Each structure stands twice: as structure tokens, then as C-alpha cells.
Amino acid sequence: MTDPTPAPAQVVDVTIERGTSIALTFDDDLVCTFALTDMRANCPCATCRGFRERGDVAWPRPGQSSEIAIRDASFAGAWGLSISWSDGHDTGIYAFASLRRWWLANMSEPLTDEA
Ligand SMILES: [Zn+2]
């Protein structure tokens, strides 16, 4: 019998360009590249989600620079990335499975923090 729910694709490589982009390589050879500005603007944390749910932009906020870089990034278990941004924001956890869905949807759906 075949398994009707195959295991989700695993990330095998993460390439971080601190000032420009993040690229994720999955075990089925799909490579998803994200601009840091898109990732920061779509931060999946509760605070940023709240801004967007009110029809507001999560980033850049009024008076904030529209330039962004990664100060630090670490793995959140095996399922995502915790990112500390140059604007001091660090509460978003970017789940790999959610990033993959987001990329496959051409970033037209909200990014969630669900694995
Ligand atoms: Zn956030």
C-alpha cells in the first residue's frame, strides 16, 4: 500500500544573503528564493499579522527605513527559521512548509507560522 499523505518536503540547504535574500533548497530539488523585503513585510508573528488584518502594513511602519537586513538567523527546531532583523524585530518564525506554500502561490497568500 502507498502512503496517502507523503511526508512534507524537507529543507536540505539554507543560503542567507544578509542584505538581500534567503534561498531554501528542498529535498525534491525545489529552490525557493525570497527577497528580504518581502519576508520582513510578511512577517508571520502575531504583531505583524495584526497590522495586516487591520489593512495596515506591517513593515515599513511610518518613519521606518525601507532598508532591511538580517542581523541573525537560527533554526527553530527542524521546521523553520527564527530571524532577527536589522530593525530590531525578532518575533517572527518562518516555517519552511509555509514558506514553500507561499512561494508556490507566488506570495499571493498570507504567510503563516504553521509548519
Ligand atoms: Zn513580526
Side-chain angles (χ1 to χ4, degrees):
M1 273 185 57
T2 52
D3 185 348
T5 52
Q10 299 295 309
V11 165
V12 292
D13 192 40
V14 179
T15 304
I16 295 177
E17 302 288 342
R18 281 175 186 274
T20 51
S21 64
I22 289 183
L24 303 179
T25 305
F26 289 87
D27 60 1
D28 58 357
D29 293 333
L30 181 71
V31 180
C32 305
T33 305
F34 304 95
L36 297 187
T37 48
D38 287 337
M39 287 188 71
R40 178 64 187 88
N42 289 279
C43 172
C45 85
T47 304
C48 295
R49 274 207 316 265
F51 282 127
R52 291 192 297 272
E53 280 162 12
R54 292 194 295 274
D56 220 338
V57 289
W59 176 89
R61 299 296 303 155
Q64 242 185 349
S65 167
S66 60
E67 288 184 16
I68 198 75
I70 289 179
R71 209 161 54 185
D72 198 20
S74 55
F75 287 104
W79 60 275
L81 268 184
S82 173
I83 296 177
S84 172
W85 297 101
S86 57
D87 63 0
H89 193 66
D90 62 3
T91 45
I93 294 178
Y94 294 78
F96 295 136
S98 181
L99 286 166
R100 181 182 164 105
R101 282 194 300 272
W102 193 50
W103 190 87
L104 289 171
N106 285 317
M107 295 162 210
S108 62
E109 291 173 3
L111 182 61
T112 72
D113 56 3
E114 287 156 30

